[in-house]
Each structure stands twice: as structure tokens, then as C-alpha cells.
Amino acid sequence: MADAELSSQADQLYDQMEYAKIVEILEPKKECDDVELLWRLARAMYEQHKRLGSDAEKLSYLQQGKVTVERAMQLNDKHPNCHKWMAIYLNAITKLQGSRAQIEQGQVIKGHMLKACEYGPSDPTNWHLIGMWAFTVADISWTMRKLAQVIFGEPPKATFQEALEYFLKAEEAQPGSYSMNLLMIAKSYQKLKDNDNAIVYLKKTRDYPVKTMDDQQAHKEAVDLLKYLGVKD
């Protein structure tokens, strides 16, 4: 099968959440020089790692997937999906490795996310990912930030306003494409004490068609937050 056909097949299987099948058909190509096949293999491996049992198994599998991303990036370091998946892999790996790794790699992860946005500005996922990074960093408590500074050095910095701007860019790139992005817009507005706009986006999240696990989580959080804010309709 031609590489272009394999890429198309991988995308169809990804939409069907057949991640193991994608790995099966693309793994023989892991030493190839086709960036499009390599990042798709890495994408499927990332989804597959979620189905593994222990953290040790997940970490080992993620590190294998990261090697595939690294190969793709060596071939084309201006491909937005190479930077996107490198950021995703580094974020997942450092979460399993602990706080020190997260802080030490924080700026590296942000750098890959910004490159993904630079080279792929029309992909809403890129903006959503950098928004999630900014929101998570902004949400670190003052005490934990000071502790991290003392133990590990200067931690990364971000604000909720910055996170909101990234989430809004994701929504602008492809309106209504991702329930979790709508939720994060709402949560960012809430953090900024703008409950009126938060409620608007919470209602959009609540009414979003539930098809995936992310949709289910977003719907539940939206319903709970609307109750917390006293919204009954």
C-alpha cells in the first residue's frame, strides 16, 4: 500500500478509535522517512498508552512513542504535528516522572506548543494545548510556586488571561469543534471573575452533543459549574 493510502487509512481508523490497528499497520514503517506516517504512528501510540495498566508500562510505551516523534522532527522540524506531539509526549512523560521533571521541562514543552501554533495556526488543537499549559501553570498555588522556586529553580509563569486568549484562538480557528475547549473558555472567564461570559460558555458546553469521553467529562463539569453558579435553566 502506498504511504499516502496508509496515512488516509490511519486517519479513518483514528476517527473510529482503532488505535491498536493503526499501530499494527504503521509500526513496520517506524524507520521510514515519511513524516506523515511517523507522526500518525506516534499519535496512535499515545492513545494506546492510556489503555495500559501501570504507570511504569505507560512511561515505557510513551518513551517509545517519543522516539518516533523525534525521528519525524529530525526529518522536518517545521511540521506543526511534530511539535504538537512532542509537546504532548513530553507533558505526559513528565507527569509520570514527577514535579521536578514537569518544572524542568516546562519551558521546553511550551516552546514546542508555540512552534505548533506558529507552523499550524489553523489547527485548533494547537491553540487549545498551549491554553491548557497556560491555565495549568496559572492555577499553581502561590505556596506551591514558592516551594518549586526554592527546590527546583524558577518555575514557568502564565496567567488566566493568557490561557483565555489561547482558548479563544482555538475556538476562532474552528468554532464549536471541541467541547473541552468551550469548557476551558468558561473556566478561564470564571477565574477572571467574569461569570456572565463563563455562564455563556458553560451552557454551550452543557448543550454540546456527547460523543466521546472528553464530551462526557466536559458536560459533567459544565452542569456542576452551572449549579455552583446558581444557574437553573
Side-chain angles (χ1 to χ4, degrees):
M1 186 181 293
D3 288 351
E5 292 178 43
L6 275 177
S7 292
S8 178
Q9 184 181 4
D11 288 342
Q12 290 174 13
L13 290 169
Y14 188 81
D15 289 340
Q16 297 163 11
M17 295 183 284
E18 295 283 353
Y19 311 126
K21 183 65 175 176
I22 300 171
V23 174
E24 180 185 328
I25 66 171
L26 293 187
E27 196 162 32
K29 297 283 190 176
K30 66 182 180 181
E31 301 296 331
C32 77
D33 292 336
D34 190 318
V35 174
E36 298 302 326
L37 293 182
L38 292 171
W39 76 256
R40 285 174 169 84
L41 171 58
R43 176 179 66 175
M45 291 180 72
Y46 178 80
E47 296 298 342
Q48 270 295 93
H49 101 274
K50 299 175 184 178
R51 300 178 177 183
L52 298 177
S54 69
D55 284 351
E57 288 178 301
K58 290 178 180 178
L59 181 58
S60 176
Y61 199 70
L62 284 168
Q63 288 169 332
Q64 293 176 50
K66 179 172 169 283
V67 171
T68 300
V69 182
E70 288 170 341
R71 180 173 178 81
M73 189 166 291
Q74 286 170 0
L75 294 166
N76 185 351
D77 66 357
K78 290 182 170 59
H79 196 302
N81 286 329
C82 292
H83 285 283
K84 173 166 69 176
W85 287 100
M86 181 60 75
I88 291 171
Y89 267 91
L90 287 174
N91 187 57
I93 287 169
T94 56
K95 278 185 177 179
L96 291 171
Q97 290 175 329
S99 299
R100 186 186 191 100
Q102 285 182 277
I103 291 169
E104 289 176 344
Q105 292 294 311
Q107 290 301 126
V108 176
I109 293 169
K110 182 183 182 182
H112 283 297
M113 290 177 174
L114 288 173
K115 286 291 186 183
C117 292
E118 177 185 349
Y119 298 136
S122 63
D123 184 348
T125 309
N126 295 335
W127 296 108
H128 177 78
L129 287 173
I130 187 66
M132 287 299 300
W133 182 91
F135 188 95
T136 301
V137 170
D139 210 27
I140 297 174
S141 70
W142 183 88
T143 303
M144 288 300 294
R145 192 179 299 279
K146 283 297 181 183
L147 181 62
Q149 187 173 351
V150 170
I151 298 174
F152 304 127
E154 187 66 25
K157 297 178 181 178
T159 66
F160 291 117
Q161 181 63 42
E162 181 183 354
L164 174 62
E165 289 169 8
Y166 288 134
F167 292 133
L168 288 172
K169 279 183 177 291
E171 180 64 10
E172 181 183 348
Q174 193 172 339
S177 64
Y178 189 32
S179 59
M180 194 60 72
N181 194 66
L182 295 172
L183 175 67
M184 294 311 300
I185 292 173
K187 291 172 80 168
S188 298
Y189 274 125
Q190 186 187 13
K191 289 288 187 179
L192 293 167
K193 313 298 183 186
D194 185 349
N195 284 344
D196 288 343
N197 273 315
I199 289 168
V200 170
Y201 280 93
L202 285 172
K203 287 182 176 180
K204 288 183 179 182
T205 308
R206 179 196 61 191
D207 298 336
Y208 194 93
V210 176
K211 297 178 181 178
T212 68
M213 290 180 66
D214 279 355
D215 295 337
Q216 292 175 0
Q217 180 184 341
H219 177 83
K220 182 181 185 306
E221 286 195 47
V223 169
D224 290 345
L225 277 171
L226 284 168
K227 287 181 181 177
Y228 173 79
L229 294 173
V231 178
K232 297 179 180 179
D233 62 333

